[in-house]
Amino acid sequence: MAARTFGNTTRLIGLAAAGFLIVLVAGLFCRVLFGSETFADRDLAAYYHPAKSLVAPLARASQGIPLWNPFFASGQPFAANPEHEIFHPLTALFFLLPFEVAFRLQVLLPLLAGVGSMYLLLRALRRSRLASIFGGMGWGFGGYLLSSTNLLPILFSASILPLSLTFVVRLMRKPRLVHVAALALCVGAQCLAGEPSTLLMTPLFCAAAALRACRARFGPAAVVAGLVLGLAVGSVTLLPGAHHAGKTMRALGLGTSAGEWSMPPVRALDLLLPGVLGHVETGNESLYWGRHLYPRRESPYFFSLYPGLAVTLLAFAAWRYRFRALLPWMVVAGFGFLLSLGEHFALWRILRHLPIVSAIRFPEKYALLFVLPVTLASAYGFDQVILGRHEARRHLARVLVGLIATAILGAAGIALFATHFATDFPWRVAAGDALRVAGVATALLMVIWPGIRWGRLARALIVCAVLALDLVSAGRQVVHTTPIQALTTPPAAFAPLLNRASDDLIFHAAEWHPTMGQVEGVGKPPLPAQWGLAMTLDNDYDLTLLRWTDDGNHAFWKAVREDPSLATPLLKRRGVTAVVQFREGVHWQDGFVVGPAGQGPVEVVFMRDQQPIAFAATQVEVVHGTEGWLAAVRRLQAHVRDTACVDDEHLASFPTPPSPAVVQVRSRTPDGIVLNVEAKGPNPSFVAFNQTWDEGWRLTVDGKPASLLRTDVSLSGFVVPPGRHWVTIKYGDAWISVGAAISIVAALGCLALVLFGRRRR
């Protein structure tokens, strides 16, 4: 009879957990699941959607790993850039499913993984099933992970972080080879997400998890072995990613961008009161009344940190009743809170000079260090209060009564103030937030009120249900969606480009306009890439463009601002076929730049007589650095269209004039090109290659290796002797090959540990 009762209870808990997940997923994402909308907030629309749309096409065109992306900034490394997560398991969905379905799953699956990973961690910490379900919901659908849905690398890594900690706890209690392999695979998956800040915080969490677990004899050594093996599993992302970062502007320091998005101290209230600083909603900045606290960004990095009112209250109750058990997590949480304050506190100013920490631009990323411990502690509080002590429930009831009274008085005060004083402050929204908190607190109070006799199971399930509804209500203000057509339909001005049969190279001049942030519908880079349009002279969206590409951009604008007549020959030199620019008559209207009546703000202007992707230069200038290039451009004027300016670091001298040559493109792929070159002689000829220079390019002339030279600050070129030649230029990345080899060996090592461990058992 007892066994049957236990089985029925377990079945009821499982059904309830499934019901909670259905409510959360359907309540938050009904428009995505059952409508024609998709995720399109901030970085998702501006960067990840166009970048992810290139993964499968580039892989097919390259017939392998997409190493080079010819659509961004005259070409940039693709697989080596961790922002693209080429080697993450979720990226495989783009090869198996329609793109829009795979793109939505990039957001949905990590949230579900977050629920499961936190559940397993709490079970490993010996929390009850219901407490583990409660904590899993607070983590997987709390404000932190929901806010990370527009920051895919953080979402991928943070969602499975608790799973890594699960195996740390198990190894500290009883080391097993299977768990070493599992820890390695989890850490490896975090590495494949390409998010350094989350990976940097993982050892702190591992230390906190290990300190409270029963330490077996070889537990610490097993944990270290799992972490090291995990780094080896992720080598295919870590090694090329580190090498790539050394070639970008990040290697020279972050400058004024370091410290942006420092979390104001008042945001700690966001754990208790969602929207304490307002709501970030697309097209309605007035609803975020805390934007003055982010002077350089005007909105928070994470839209919300709210894990649910019940989660926060039970976490504080746990820290009162289970202080010693949670002490390591409290230390990590306190350290993380002070670090996430950034420029508002001295700790960031001290630690930001460390080699690894200095690469993190936004201190608010460290909010993970205190949000995760709060969620974890709430499960302890759940067992202590909801399933345990009567006096703990009585104490929490008093706290809820005070919170309800404060919220109601706050809403009344806001309404009274707004009635008597004229203000643009959205007081109805603020008052509604206060009343919503009062409503959630009232529901919790009815569940734990000492005078009401609830059974433990009923009380626990109701608290979980209240949390699920609370997260749905708060989360709808965090996750923003848009109709798929709005994201995938190109601006009307781009129509002439899409109907052309030729390969165009676009210069988006409007992107560099100072009012770009207020201009809508202009398709700024990298958006055009999803429609197959290659760009040049792009703005560096995330400091991941090659350093000399950024130098070339600034040199171009410096030359053009000094002499506007240089713009046309310089663009023709790079092979630009069309320029996206503002129309005449654009003007401000209601805070936005709009075009003339009945027209959009931008137009496409086509160019003639531009150079192809490879051509023979009629003049060669050997220059020293960017300043040397600028001096040559000022001197050459319109002749710059046919000239190759080679850096003296790559070419000491060149016999002038270069002999003419006929250059024919035989074949071209994203990561290579085959040319026939007929150099007339008697002098050598110089062939300019309008792709970004990188050390990964390999040049062969008639099958023999030759040097590819950095030309015109950021482009490429090479010298050929007189005669007919067969030339191949192919891109490769040795770091990806080395990283892949290490990752494969490490993965096989994990498999060997699993097989050997099972055989021993």
Side-chain angles (χ1 to χ4, degrees):
M1 185 68 178
R4 183 180 302 172
T5 302
F6 176 78
N8 291 337
T9 302
T10 302
R11 189 178 300 109
L12 177 61
I13 293 174
L15 291 174
F20 297 146
L21 287 179
I22 292 173
V23 169
L24 285 164
V25 174
L28 288 170
F29 310 119
C30 58
R31 294 179 179 178
V32 173
L33 295 173
F34 310 114
S36 59
E37 296 194 2
T38 189
F39 303 103
D41 204 13
R42 206 159 61 177
D43 287 11
L44 282 175
Y47 186 78
Y48 293 116
H49 192 276
K52 299 291 186 184
S53 70
L54 298 176
V55 172
L58 286 179
R60 287 192 293 266
S62 303
Q63 297 182 346
I65 298 173
L67 301 177
W68 187 258
N69 173 19
F71 294 98
F72 291 1
S74 291
Q76 295 291 307
F78 196 60
N81 188 344
E83 284 287 334
H84 301 312
E85 301 106 14
I86 293 298
F87 303 104
H88 193 275
L90 285 179
T91 302
L93 295 177
F94 293 110
F95 298 95
L96 304 174
L97 299 171
F99 174 76
E100 291 300 335
V101 175
F103 186 72
R104 296 183 217 182
L105 291 177
Q106 304 290 300
V107 173
L108 294 173
L109 292 181
L111 296 176
L112 296 175
V115 175
S117 62
M118 180 58 77
Y119 173 85
L120 293 174
L121 172 59
L122 294 173
R123 290 296 289 163
L125 292 172
R126 296 170 180 168
R127 298 301 93 206
S128 67
R129 283 187 174 84
L130 283 168
S132 301
I133 293 170
F134 177 84
M137 290 193 299
W139 175 246
F141 292 94
Y144 179 86
L145 277 194
L146 287 182
S147 297
S148 300
T149 53
N150 62 81
L151 306 164
L152 291 184
I154 294 179
L155 178 66
F156 289 175
S157 184
S159 61
I160 63 169
L161 173 60
L163 190 59
S164 299
L165 304 181
T166 299
F167 294 107
V168 170
V169 172
R170 292 184 176 181
L171 286 172
M172 292 300 293
R173 288 179 178 157
K174 185 178 180 181
R176 291 176 54 190
L177 295 178
V178 173
H179 292 160
V180 173
L183 174 60
L185 292 175
C186 291
V187 174
Q190 288 185 247
C191 296
L192 296 178
E195 170 44 39
S197 62
T198 307
L199 198 61
L200 184 63
M201 291 180 266
T202 298
L204 294 177
F205 288 121
C206 290
L211 284 175
R212 291 307 305 171
C214 300
R215 289 180 289 277
R217 182 178 179 184
F218 298 106
V223 170
V224 172
L227 293 175
V228 172
L229 188 57
L231 294 176
V233 171
S235 292
V236 68
T237 293
L238 294 180
L239 290 182
H243 183 251
H244 177 265
K247 298 187 292 185
T248 66
M249 294 301 295
R250 292 175 181 263
L252 302 179
L254 299 175
T256 57
S257 65
E260 291 182 353
W261 269 316
S262 295
M263 189 183 75
V266 71
R267 278 214 75 188
L269 294 176
D270 205 16
L271 295 174
L272 196 64
L273 307 171
V276 67
L277 297 180
H279 306 289
V280 180
E281 293 190 8
T282 304
N284 197 348
E285 296 181 359
S286 63
L287 293 181
Y288 192 76
W289 47 84
R291 56 184 177 275
H292 64 282
L293 297 175
Y294 294 89
R296 285 182 282 176
R297 290 290 181 172
E298 298 185 352
S299 66
Y301 188 73
F302 295 110
F303 293 161
S304 173
L305 301 177
Y306 182 65
L309 181 63
V311 168
T312 302
L313 292 177
L314 290 175
F316 283 111
W319 286 339
R320 175 182 178 182
Y321 294 107
R322 299 295 305 274
F323 180 83
R324 293 186 61 186
L326 294 172
L327 182 58
W329 298 103
M330 294 174 64
V331 172
V332 171
F335 175 77
F337 177 75
L338 296 177
L339 190 57
S340 63
L341 295 179
E343 294 181 342
H344 300 294
F345 192 71
L347 182 60
W348 165 256
R349 299 170 190 169
I350 297 172
L351 296 182
R352 60 164 291 191
H353 299 290
L354 296 177
I356 301 179
V357 180
S358 61
I360 308 301
R361 285 195 292 168
F362 309 133
E364 195 163 292
K365 286 186 175 183
Y366 293 104
L368 173 65
L369 287 172
F370 66 87
V371 174
L372 190 147
V374 166
T375 309
L376 183 142
S378 69
Y380 284 81
F382 190 97
D383 284 337
Q384 193 74 22
V385 177
I386 305 303
L387 300 179
R389 297 185 177 186
H390 180 74
E391 68 172 271
R393 289 197 297 276
R394 187 165 57 245
H395 175 74
L396 183 58
R398 290 195 294 266
V399 173
L400 287 170
V401 170
L403 182 61
I404 293 169
T406 302
I408 293 175
L409 290 175
I414 292 172
L416 185 63
F417 178 83
T419 303
H420 288 81
F421 298 95
T423 177
D424 294 333
F425 181 77
W427 64 271
R428 287 185 175 85
V429 176
D433 289 340
L435 291 177
R436 198 189 71 82
V437 170
V440 176
T442 301
L444 292 173
L445 180 63
M446 294 176 63
V447 178
I448 68 170
W449 186 258
I452 301 178
R453 300 291 181 179
W454 296 98
R456 286 187 176 184
L457 180 60
R459 185 189 306 117
L461 290 175
I462 294 174
V463 170
C464 289
V466 171
L467 174 63
L469 295 175
D470 184 19
L471 292 176
V472 169
S473 175
R476 283 180 173 176
Q477 303 167 1
V478 177
V479 181
H480 307 145
T481 60
T482 191
I484 295 176
Q485 292 78 8
L487 190 62
T488 58
T489 303
F494 279 54
L497 293 169
L498 300 175
N499 297 328
R500 288 163 60 91
S502 60
D503 291 333
D504 284 310
L505 184 63
I506 316 302
F507 171 53
H508 203 306
E511 179 194 14
W512 295 88
H513 196 276
T515 62
M516 189 62 202
Q518 287 76 38
V519 181
E520 295 186 352
V522 298
K524 63 180 181 178
L527 283 178
Q530 65 186 327
W531 304 305
L533 299 176
M535 312 296 293
T536 188
L537 297 170
D538 308 1
N539 200 352
D540 195 345
Y541 183 82
D542 197 35
L543 296 183
T544 58
L545 297 183
L546 295 173
R547 186 167 60 252
W548 39 93
T549 297
D550 189 75
D551 292 341
N553 292 348
H554 288 90
F556 168 82
W557 282 111
K558 186 174 182 179
V560 170
R561 290 187 180 106
E562 291 177 358
D563 185 355
S565 66
L566 288 172
T568 298
L570 284 174
L571 293 177
K572 290 183 177 181
R573 162 65 183 85
R574 302 180 72 93
V576 172
T577 61
V579 177
V580 180
Q581 62 185 24
F582 283 109
R583 296 180 185 273
E584 291 187 10
V586 294
H587 59 280
W588 285 92
Q589 181 177 322
D590 299 327
F592 293 93
V593 174
V594 296
Q599 295 180 312
V602 298
E603 63 180 351
V604 175
V605 178
F606 289 98
M607 304 190 72
R608 296 180 179 178
D609 302 323
Q610 71 280 350
Q611 297 289 10
I613 189 171
F615 67 95
T618 60
Q619 188 172 346
V620 175
E621 293 276 339
V622 178
V623 300
H624 179 69
T626 302
E627 291 301 323
W629 179 83
L630 287 169
V633 166
R634 297 185 190 107
R635 184 177 65 256
L636 291 166
Q637 291 295 309
H639 295 291
V640 73
R641 171 190 174 275
D642 307 308
T643 304
C645 298
V646 189
D647 196 286
D648 59 3
E649 182 181 347
H650 292 250
L651 184 66
S653 62
F654 187 85
T656 57
S659 296
V662 177
V663 181
Q664 293 181 329
V665 177
R666 296 299 303 271
S667 64
R668 184 183 172 190
T669 61
D671 57 355
I673 189 169
V674 178
L675 304 171
N676 280 346
V677 179
E678 184 179 354
K680 303 298 185 179
N683 289 336
S685 299
F686 191 95
V687 178
F689 179 44
N690 279 330
Q691 278 282 293
T692 302
W693 182 88
D694 187 72
E695 61 186 14
W697 287 107
R698 294 292 179 264
L699 169 69
T700 61
V701 179
D702 299 326
K704 298 179 180 179
S707 298
L708 191 67
L709 312 174
R710 186 150 62 88
T711 308
D712 288 278
V713 183
S714 61
L715 301 175
S716 308
F718 56 93
V719 179
V720 291
R724 293 184 177 182
H725 305 284
W726 178 56
V727 178
T728 62
I729 309 174
K730 183 71 174 176
Y731 187 78
D733 193 330
W735 289 96
I736 288 182
S737 301
V738 173
I742 296 175
S743 295
I744 292 173
V745 171
L748 292 176
C750 292
L751 178 61
L753 290 177
V754 171
L755 296 177
F756 186 69
R758 292 184 63 181
R759 184 177 180 181
R760 288 190 61 185
R761 292 186 65 191

